[in-house]
């Protein structure tokens, strides 16, 4: 595969900092998404949750996007296959698999499996586009993975022996593969307005989830309690409209490999959110793992900054 457009100009150092700040916010919102999905798994079946998420997100975006979609329609028709692929993988497939997996697996296993995303992004980027990761990126991924494992295993390597895996873990692994592929394939995104892209991919997500949700709700009645409505409101607005807009923009400017590094923050935020939301305690191994994860993210970021400075030098 080849990207459909030339690579963007290198962002300025100030812009790079802003993009990493955007990605940090995205990871916080997506960690909250996983928390909500686990919290309401007994009240909302997975495909119904995914359908409500994307239908709600589409309703929010549509009033602002429809004119832009019309203006972009000639380009959309030319690149409809790429838009359909990205929508099916990153909107439909990933969320259906993740929500389904979170019904059956533990939070520990889910975090452990999602820790593989940064490395898989680099692999897909290399396999599909011949992108060669920098040594600093490889080192950063490895270090951040150690930090994630430190949190998940509570700094006790022997805890690996007590881990068990089930169908939920397999589903989350498939979701991780889908998201890693989506991140790498974002360089194929056609040159249309970001809101047009969001609206079109959200619509694809709705259409993909609709038949599965209808079949699911025949045997799983949904009761619209305040808790259920609150869950739908959160997943439709913040992890969807806000987070996908920021993530797609950051990947477009930083590249898949650099943006993928920051995904290691998601399990870190998951551990932090578990304290107020699930009543879990914050221990020393949490702090140690967080420090290691941050080091793994900062190493390639700082190396990239030095590389940009050296390139800009006369």
């Amino acid at each position: 595969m080849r990207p459909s457009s030339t690579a963007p100009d290198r962002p300025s150092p100030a812009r790079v900092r802003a993009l990493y700040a955007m990605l940090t916010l995205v990871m916080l919102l997506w960690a909250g998404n996983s928390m909500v999905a686990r919290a309401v798994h007994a009240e909302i079946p997975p495909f119904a949750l995914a359908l409500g998420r994307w239908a709600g997100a589409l309703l929010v975006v549509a009033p602002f996007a429809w004119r832009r979609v019309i203006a972009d329609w000639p380009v959309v028709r030319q690149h409809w296959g790429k838009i359909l692929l990205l929508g099916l993988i990153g909107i439909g497939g990933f969320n259906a698999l993740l929500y389904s997996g979170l019904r059956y697996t533990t939070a520990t296993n889910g975090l452990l499996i999602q820790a593989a995303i940064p490395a898989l992004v680099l692999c897909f980027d290399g396999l599909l586009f011949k992108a060669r990761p920098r040594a600093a990126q490889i080192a950063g991924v490895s270090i951040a993975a150690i930090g994630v494992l430190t949190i998940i295993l509570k700094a006790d390597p022997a805890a690996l022996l007590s881990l068990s895996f089930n169908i939920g873990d397999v589903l989350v692994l498939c979701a991780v593969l889908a998201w890693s592929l989506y991140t790498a394939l974002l360089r194929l995104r056609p040159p249309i307005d970001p809101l047009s892209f969001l609206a079109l991919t959200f619509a694809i997500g709705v259409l993909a989830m609709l038949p599965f949700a209808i079949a699911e709700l025949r045997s799983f009645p949904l009761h619209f309690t305040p808790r259920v409505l609150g869950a739908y409101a959160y997943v439709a607005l913040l992890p969807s409209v806000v987070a996908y807009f920021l993530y797609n923009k950051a990947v477009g400017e930083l590249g898949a490999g650099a943006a993928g590094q920051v995904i290691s923050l998601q399990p870190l935020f998951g551990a932090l959110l578990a304290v107020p939301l699930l009543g879990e305690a914050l221990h020393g191994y949490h702090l140690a793992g967080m420090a290691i994860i941050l080091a793994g993210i900062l190493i390639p970021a700082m190396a990239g900054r030095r590389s940009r400075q050296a390139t800009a030098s006369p």
Side-chain angles (χ1 to χ4, degrees), residues 13 48 68 82 102 123 125 131 139 150 159 170-171 202 235 257 304:
R68 304 184 190 199
K82 295 173 184 177
L102 288 173
C123 290
D125 214 23
T150 299
V170 176
L171 292 170
F202 288 175
V235 299

Side-chain angles (χ1 to χ4, degrees), residues 15-25 254 258-259 262 297 300-301:
R15 182 59 179 168
V16 169
R17 290 193 292 272
L19 291 169
Y20 275 110
M22 287 162 50
L23 286 170
T24 300
L25 175 60
L254 288 174
V262 187
I297 293 172

Side-chain angles (χ1 to χ4, degrees), residues 25-46:
L25 175 60
V26 169
M27 296 309 123
L28 177 61
L29 296 178
W30 281 344
N33 177 55
S34 293
M35 289 287 172
V36 169
R38 287 197 298 270
V40 299
H41 76 271
E43 300 159 79
I44 311 175

Side-chain angles (χ1 to χ4, degrees), residues 81 129 152 179 187 259 273:
F129 303 106
I152 293 171
W179 186 255
R187 67 169 70 204
L273 289 174

